[in-house]
Amino acid sequence: MATSCGVGLIALLALGAGNVMAEEETIGSDGYRMSCLSCHGVGGRGDGPLAKFLTPKPTDLTAISRNSTALRPSRKAGEFPFLRVFQVIDGRAAIEVHGDRAMPVWGNRYLMDQPGTPRGYAGEYEKVVRGRILELAYYIQSIQQ
């Protein structure tokens, strides 16, 4: 009896972990669909419906790891620059860029999506914004070629 309960519990935990993983992927992909797809395209290759109207052209997000050493030669080939991707999406952190920033500052836009911030709770809304950006960065990491 105890053995069958143990096996059943392990199976239940395995199913639960699968649901959590699927939910995490959905969260990141939903954020991508709402915030990035129009410029970067369904597959993230920079070929979205608005790409033809943009200068400079949107980045191929699937090649970030492959091209990561071009910006920082000390980085290992194929390494995903997670912090850099987070900072580019957030846009509120000071980062080096060449010329004007063409991509929207999603950190500010996500913050504006939050309802009126009651006095003393600004930190809570910032956590929500950072969570959304983290999920998006993880999703972009998952589409690397």
Side-chain angles (χ1 to χ4, degrees), residues 38-39 46-55 57-58:
S38 60
C39 297
D47 57 356
L50 297 179
K52 60 186 167 194
F53 303 110
L54 300 174
T55 304
K57 296 297 180 199

Side-chain angles (χ1 to χ4, degrees), residues 47-70:
D47 57 356
L50 297 179
K52 60 186 167 194
F53 303 110
L54 300 174
T55 304
K57 296 297 180 199
T59 300
D60 178 350
L61 299 178
T62 67
I64 292 173
S65 290
R66 184 174 55 234
N67 299 331
S68 68
T69 55

Side-chain angles (χ1 to χ4, degrees), residues 43-111:
R45 298 192 185 282
D47 57 356
L50 297 179
K52 60 186 167 194
F53 303 110
L54 300 174
T55 304
K57 296 297 180 199
T59 300
D60 178 350
L61 299 178
T62 67
I64 292 173
S65 290
R66 184 174 55 234
N67 299 331
S68 68
T69 55
L71 292 174
R72 191 162 288 158
S74 62
R75 186 172 282 135
K76 289 187 246 174
E79 182 181 352
F80 184 74
F82 192 89
L83 179 60
R84 171 91 174 139
V85 169
F86 182 96
Q87 290 173 332
V88 169
I89 295 167
D90 183 70
R92 296 174 294 164
I95 57 173
E96 286 183 34
V97 293
H98 299 285
D100 294 334
R101 179 182 170 87
M103 194 177 98
V105 175
W106 290 106
N108 285 338
R109 289 195 181 187
Y110 289 161
L111 194 57

Side-chain angles (χ1 to χ4, degrees), residues 29 31-52 54 57-62 136 139-140 143:
S29 62
Y32 178 85
R33 183 180 44 78
M34 292 184 300
S35 302
C36 312
L37 185 141
S38 60
C39 297
H40 292 282
V42 172
R45 298 192 185 282
D47 57 356
L50 297 179
K52 60 186 167 194
L54 300 174
K57 296 297 180 199
T59 300
D60 178 350
L61 299 178
T62 67
L136 189 51
Y139 177 76
I140 293 169
I143 63 171

